[in-house]
Amino acid sequence: MHILLFALKDWWITDYEAYYYQKNAIVNIDCLEDTEVLCLSNDNREKLCREFHQIEHFFRKKTNRRNVALQNRILSLLSSSAKQRYEKFLLEYPSLVQKLPKHILASYLGVSRETLSRLYSTK
């Protein structure tokens, strides 16, 4: 299992390649809490963006936020130690630490459950 990111309140998430290129999705989205699900086709999103500049601005801001989060996630996986990734997770997602099953958190951090247990015990 690979976890790309966690979407917090007011985030929008989808399989972006499937959405924009009308392909079959390869990304699963699992909800850990009650979630409001909105469905908007790419065609309808484009139509809204053409007709309402504010909507286009809204989607651009959402996209920029997601891109920054994914870039930071990739850089963290490539250049940070497991301990650094764990500490960053604690800062970014303090409300999720107690909610997540340990195997989910370990997968997100790119470590084994045993390594996560060691990191957990040092806090």
Side-chain angles (χ1 to χ4, degrees):
M1 163 187 353
H2 301 288
I3 300 172
L4 297 177
L5 55 85
F6 292 104
L8 300 176
K9 183 179 180 176
D10 295 329
W11 276 55
W12 289 30
I13 194 162
T14 189
D15 181 323
Y16 291 96
E17 182 178 22
Y19 185 72
Y20 289 117
Y21 299 119
Q22 302 298 290
K23 298 168 88 176
N24 290 332
I26 59 170
V27 172
N28 291 323
I29 299 168
D30 295 325
C31 300
L32 301 172
E33 299 178 326
D34 288 344
T35 302
E36 184 175 359
V37 176
L38 305 172
C39 296
L40 179 63
S41 72
N42 191 41
D43 289 342
N44 284 336
R45 185 187 63 81
E46 288 296 321
K47 182 179 177 186
L48 283 170
C49 288
R50 278 192 307 273
E51 293 177 11
F52 302 101
H53 178 69
Q54 298 89 345
I55 296 290
E56 184 176 28
H57 179 74
F58 170 80
F59 281 114
R60 184 173 44 82
K61 288 190 73 127
K62 289 285 186 189
T63 300
N64 289 346
R65 185 176 179 188
R66 182 204 69 230
N67 289 345
V68 168
L70 284 172
Q71 176 179 302
N72 288 335
R73 170 98 171 106
I74 291 166
L75 291 172
S76 178
L77 286 169
L78 293 173
S79 61
S80 300
S81 69
K83 182 177 182 183
Q84 290 169 323
R85 291 192 305 274
Y86 178 69
E87 290 170 349
K88 185 175 182 178
F89 180 86
L90 294 175
L91 290 173
E92 290 180 354
Y93 302 107
S95 64
L96 289 183
V97 174
Q98 297 305 319
K99 293 179 185 179
L100 287 177
K102 299 301 178 242
H103 72 281
I104 299 285
L105 180 52
S107 178
Y108 177 80
L109 296 173
V111 299
S112 67
R113 285 224 30 201
E114 295 76 20
T115 299
L116 178 61
S117 293
R118 285 193 295 278
L119 294 171
Y120 216 70
S121 66
T122 63
K123 284 286 166 194

